[in-house]
Amino acid sequence: SGTDVVPTEQKAGWTSFIKSLASMTGDLSSMTAPPFILSPTSLTEFPAYWCERPELFADIATGRTEQDRAEKVLRWFICTLKGQYTDDGHCCFPGARAIANNTFKTRNEKMGSEKKPLNPVLGEEFFGVWPDVGFGETTLSVEQVSHHPPVTAYFIQNKKARVTLQGHSGQKTSFSGGSINVKQNGHAILTVDVPGGKKETFLITLPKLQIQGLVWGSPYIELTDSTAIVSDTGYVANIDYKGKGWVSGKAHSYKATLAHNGKTVRSYEGTWTAIGKVAKSDEIFTDATVPKTEVTVKPIEEQSDWESRKLWRATAQGIRSGDYDAASRDKSRIEANEASAGKQWQLKLFQYVESDPVYKQLAAHVKGIPSEEDAYIFRGNA
Ligand code: CLR
């Protein structure tokens, strides 16, 4: 049958979940899914995927020209896609923890499919560090800034290299042709200090996702359409995404161009899960097979009650050990606490702005995106 990976006792539940997707109203996060598809990881942890190649993030600052830096931003961005969009092992079957410790593999390689992450509560936080191994320490601060609809804001910084990334992501989902289509709301802004006391700024738009393979019970992500990286130096990178059956015929393909004031200076193509090359050459541009560096997190005992791994500890343990009753009891407890927490909410780490001035300035150079967007500006951990 088509649903071989679905545990026998959950087949009916899976079928009715797929059917209910057809009447979904845009917020998939709050839908109840069968246990086998649940991930023990909260969405507040996902911004860590932006920096699992901290060496490439820091390397942006070593670019000697505007074009050099624009190209390094593009390389770093493409090399984050594999971690972001191929499920990396928030494993749910017994004994899976040991496999999950293998940081050389992605989610899909470890457990075969995309899972449904835990839906963060308002005010949930996640802090992480990539220790200094020569190019400076990189830190990550995340806050869930909205629950309905879910929006996650993050700030990443390498102080020594003087590179920062600030952004937010929400999702709008729809169902058609057997797949879930996910449009990401939000954008990211990268800044890098350059010699002479100046700063360069890059606007990064977020890709659309298609979740395929639902019918088989082993969902996976393909990226569609295109995204842009726009710099205030006049460099614009455009990245087109395609799945199987396009040019190379390979899944997870990309084609990118780097242009300056409208004139293409270089092109690249390949896959964002393996190798991308400078077009019409053998020069390797992106290598996503290089081992990634997972973020490190304080021991749970030292975390505050708002921090993701402490907050969801019992739920996650229930999911990992297959004790779904315990998982769902603890999940209900957390969600009930949240419902009673009241409506007026003070953001802790970020400040909301209705129109992001940096976005407004740079978005004018990209066709087909809104001219204004809101944003969450990092205020610090104080
Ligand atoms: C969150 C922001 C990250 C990139 C990213 C990767 C995977 C996405 C996730 C975002 C949002 C939530 C998501 C997930 C894949 C599956 C999951 C769309 C965009 C949905 C809610 C769950 C689908 C449920 C089926 C698997 C049954 O930077």
Side-chain angles (χ1 to χ4, degrees):
S1 86
T3 53
D4 281 346
V5 296
V6 182
T8 314
E9 71 286 1
Q10 294 182 40
K11 282 199 166 139
W14 182 243
T15 307
S16 71
F17 175 70
I18 305 253
K19 282 189 184 143
S20 65
L21 288 174
S23 55
M24 174 182 54
T25 55
D27 182 5
L28 186 88
S29 53
S30 53
M31 281 177 68
T32 310
F36 82 92
I37 206 77
L38 299 180
S39 153
T41 306
S42 161
L43 264 184
T44 54
E45 294 203 23
F46 280 48
Y49 292 132
W50 283 106
C51 213
E52 290 186 327
R53 297 287 300 277
E55 76 285 9
L56 295 181
F57 189 66
D59 187 53
I60 293 166
T62 71
R64 272 176 297 167
T65 62
E66 292 174 353
Q67 181 172 326
D68 237 18
R69 289 184 289 266
E71 197 169 43
K72 284 177 187 291
V73 172
L74 178 63
R75 172 180 297 123
W76 154 78
F77 172 80
I78 290 171
C79 289
T80 70
L81 297 175
K82 184 181 181 190
Q84 302 253 22
Y85 301 110
T86 59
D87 192 321
D88 95 356
H90 304 127
C91 304
C92 306
F93 51 88
R97 289 294 287 282
I99 305 173
N101 286 334
N102 181 350
T103 58
F104 295 83
K105 290 193 169 169
T106 67
R107 288 199 295 263
N108 278 329
E109 286 162 347
K110 286 176 198 160
M111 57 186 267
S113 101
E114 201 61 52
K115 304 270 165 172
K116 187 172 186 291
L118 294 169
N119 188 16
V121 302
L122 189 57
E124 185 175 327
E125 295 171 313
F126 182 72
F127 300 105
V129 175
W130 289 267
D132 185 359
V133 288
F135 44 78
E137 174 188 84
T138 315
T139 55
L140 165 70
S141 306
V142 182
E143 179 175 352
Q144 189 68 14
V145 290
S146 168
H147 182 67
H148 285 301
V151 180
T152 311
Y154 52 87
F155 180 75
I156 297 174
Q157 179 173 44
N158 183 326
K159 273 197 180 142
K160 188 177 169 204
R162 294 173 170 274
V163 186
T164 71
L165 181 77
Q166 170 171 282
H168 69 281
S169 165
Q171 299 87 43
K172 199 169 182 296
T173 39
S174 62
F175 186 72
S176 81
S179 308
I180 300 172
N181 297 301
V182 183
K183 187 184 169 299
Q184 293 195 71
N185 297 326
H187 59 269
I189 305 281
L190 184 140
T191 66
V192 51
D193 287 3
V194 297
K198 283 190 290 180
K199 198 188 269 295
E200 279 171 18
T201 307
F202 297 78
L203 164 66
I204 299 167
T205 67
L206 307 173
K208 286 188 182 140
L209 286 60
Q210 202 170 63
I211 303 176
Q212 305 176 349
L214 285 169
V215 112
W216 313 102
S218 58
Y220 66 95
I221 293 173
E222 190 55 271
L223 300 179
T224 69
D225 298 36
S226 59
T227 66
I229 304 178
V230 189
S231 167
D232 58 358
T233 58
Y235 281 91
V236 177
N238 193 78
I239 308 124
D240 288 324
Y241 307 95
K242 286 281 157 48
K244 289 193 193 87
W246 185 62
V247 197
S248 69
K250 285 189 191 130
H252 309 321
S253 294
Y254 79 86
K255 270 191 173 190
T257 56
L258 184 65
H260 188 246
N261 295 333
K263 196 172 162 287
T264 300
V265 290
R266 268 185 130 189
S267 309
Y268 320 84
E269 60 183 83
T271 68
W272 48 266
T273 42
I275 301 289
K277 290 181 174 172
V278 175
K280 301 189 185 79
S281 86
D282 280 327
E283 186 186 334
I284 291 183
F285 178 56
T286 51
D287 184 353
T289 67
V290 171
K292 60 180 184 169
T293 314
E294 276 179 20
V295 70
T296 61
V297 180
K298 270 198 300 208
I300 286 190
E301 301 69 47
E302 292 168 29
Q303 294 182 15
S304 88
D305 292 343
W306 286 103
E307 286 183 67
S308 191
R309 289 195 191 168
K310 183 156 181 189
L311 181 73
W312 293 105
R313 188 199 331 220
T315 308
Q317 193 155 7
I319 292 173
R320 284 206 178 91
S321 65
D323 186 351
Y324 299 121
D325 288 339
S328 110
R329 267 197 312 277
D330 188 61
K331 196 164 168 285
S332 309
R333 177 189 62 81
I334 291 166
E335 284 158 358
N337 279 349
E338 182 187 47
S340 62
K343 285 205 167 59
Q344 265 303 325
W345 185 261
Q346 190 68 51
L347 299 183
K348 294 183 272 190
L349 309 175
F350 294 86
Q351 176 158 21
Y352 180 73
V353 292
E354 239 169 272
S355 175
D356 181 351
V358 180
Y359 178 92
K360 192 175 174 179
Q361 180 209 337
L362 295 173
H365 302 278
V366 193
K367 286 194 196 99
I369 65 168
S371 57
E372 293 190 53
E373 261 192 19
D374 59 2
Y376 297 84
I377 312 295
F378 188 64
R379 292 192 307 194
N381 285 351

